[in-house]
Amino acid sequence: MRLPAISTRELRNFVWLAGSKSLKEAAEKCSLSQPALSIQLKQLESKIGVQLVVRSNAQKQIELTAAGAEFLVAARHAVQILQDVVDRINPDARHDKPQLRVASLPSLLQDVISPVLADLSKTHPYAQFSVLDGDSSACSTLLSSKKCDVALCSRPVNGPDIRSQCLFSEQFWAIVRKDDKRVGRDYLTLDDFADTTIVNLTDNHTVNASLMTRSLPCIQVNTITALESMLAQGVGAAIVAHSTALTIQHPTLVKIPLADREVSRQIFLSWTESSANALIQAFIERLRRQTERNI
């Protein structure tokens, strides 16, 4: 099968669209009007031959189809590969503008990373920002191999010239359907799920350990989208960190605080200490201030 003629602009705009709260926000990031971005999305879907974004008048937030979530992974990868090649074959161009490459857990993008980058872009209008999302292992590898400048994940990154600090700790929440018998409770514990299958993110190591201790049945998934979809279909419940819970907005799901103290997650900020990049230092300082205010 011949590959469709997809431009890098279409790929980049789709990545921005998928990472936005609304079509309006995505259009602003892409420097397009909302109708123009909608037309570009339809053209992209026509080229590929599948629907990438769920169309719903009742739900204005961006929601990807299963095909859209899979295409998003490939789009991010393709854009990053092309950027890396351009930087390598034309190193002079790389130094024209200050750059910041951030690797982060997907759940931290919306409420932790995005506000800081939005603020930073006002004071550094010509800077180039790259955000790479993945699990903690992927983020650690990116920083260790110098493919990013800063990493935010659930473990400190070790290595020469790499410095790490605990940025904050997160409370966990139980996610259940609205028709679940536990809805209405002020809080829940893991013991309340003795007869329930837990849908769990693969990188959720703290929850994994607690589930094994209690011998609770578990289904492992790799993405928040997959977790949300399974819960909406009535497949058990989930135990997720606070930042992950914020990204789950499905109308059939309810969030209830988890009271087990054993289930918590620390978020670590790691960066290359020897870097003289002023943009990196500005990002770190703003990130610290924001998390101090929120916590």
Side-chain angles (χ1 to χ4, degrees):
M1 178 180 177
R2 188 171 61 182
L3 286 174
I6 302 174
S7 68
T8 54
R9 178 178 174 81
E10 287 175 308
L11 291 176
R12 189 180 294 277
N13 286 355
F14 180 75
V15 171
W16 279 337
L17 173 70
S20 302
K21 297 180 181 179
S22 65
L23 185 63
K24 179 182 178 181
E25 179 182 312
E28 291 174 352
K29 291 180 182 179
C30 300
S31 300
L32 294 170
S33 66
Q34 292 185 52
L37 181 58
S38 294
I39 292 172
Q40 187 181 94
L41 173 61
K42 290 179 181 178
Q43 291 174 338
L44 178 61
E45 289 176 328
S46 177
K47 290 178 181 180
I48 299 173
V50 295
Q51 184 175 335
L52 301 175
V53 176
V54 175
R55 304 300 199 280
S56 172
N57 293 327
Q59 194 173 359
K60 295 182 179 180
Q61 68 184 48
I62 304 299
E63 181 182 359
L64 300 183
T65 62
E70 185 173 351
F71 183 75
L72 174 61
V73 174
R76 284 174 173 155
H77 189 54
V79 170
Q80 189 59 49
I81 286 176
L82 289 171
Q83 184 64 62
D84 290 344
V85 170
V86 171
D87 291 344
R88 189 164 59 249
I89 63 179
N90 186 11
D92 292 336
R94 182 170 50 191
H95 301 294
D96 289 343
K97 300 178 180 179
Q99 294 189 50
L100 174 65
R101 301 168 299 171
V102 180
S104 170
L105 295 171
S107 59
L108 301 178
L109 297 181
Q110 178 174 309
D111 294 283
V112 178
I113 303 298
S114 295
V116 175
L117 291 183
D119 181 48
L120 203 59
S121 65
K122 296 175 183 177
T123 56
H124 298 74
Y126 300 106
Q128 294 180 327
F129 300 106
S130 299
V131 179
L132 310 168
D133 63 318
D135 60 21
S136 291
S137 178
C139 292
S140 297
T141 301
L142 286 168
L143 184 60
S144 298
S145 60
K146 302 187 183 303
K147 292 183 178 178
C148 73
D149 305 300
V150 179
L152 284 94
C153 46
S154 60
R155 66 188 72 162
V157 181
N158 298 316
D161 296 328
I162 294 179
R163 185 177 175 186
S164 296
Q165 72 169 90
C166 181
L167 202 58
F168 59 88
S169 296
E170 291 191 284
Q171 176 189 4
F172 272 64
W173 294 71
I175 312 296
V176 297
R177 278 171 53 102
K178 284 184 176 180
D179 56 4
D180 189 280
K181 61 184 179 181
R182 288 158 287 217
V183 170
R185 299 267 298 273
D186 291 333
Y187 64 87
L188 295 171
T189 69
L190 285 174
D191 292 335
D192 292 314
F193 295 92
D195 59 345
T196 306
T197 297
I198 303 297
V199 181
N200 190 47
L201 292 168
T202 304
D203 194 42
N204 213 344
H205 300 296
T206 301
V207 174
N208 273 330
S210 296
L211 296 180
M212 290 181 64
T213 300
R214 290 172 170 77
S215 299
L216 294 177
C218 178
I219 298 175
Q220 301 286 346
V221 295
N222 291 324
T223 66
I224 297 172
T225 301
L227 180 142
E228 188 176 38
S229 177
M230 294 188 73
L231 295 182
Q233 294 298 320
V235 184
I239 308 296
V240 301
H242 176 72
S243 57
T244 304
L246 290 175
T247 67
I248 297 176
Q249 301 294 334
H250 199 283
T252 66
L253 302 179
V254 174
K255 308 165 190 177
I256 305 172
L258 194 72
D260 298 84
R261 294 194 175 187
E262 69 186 75
V263 186
S264 64
R265 179 172 76 166
Q266 291 182 312
I267 298 299
F268 288 87
L269 167 66
S270 300
W271 69 98
T272 303
E273 192 172 19
S274 60
S275 174
N277 188 331
L279 187 59
I280 296 175
Q281 297 305 316
F283 173 80
I284 292 173
E285 291 172 6
R286 281 171 169 80
L287 186 64
R288 286 170 175 163
R289 289 200 298 268
Q290 178 184 294
T291 52
E292 286 173 359
R293 286 197 302 268
N294 292 344
I295 296 173

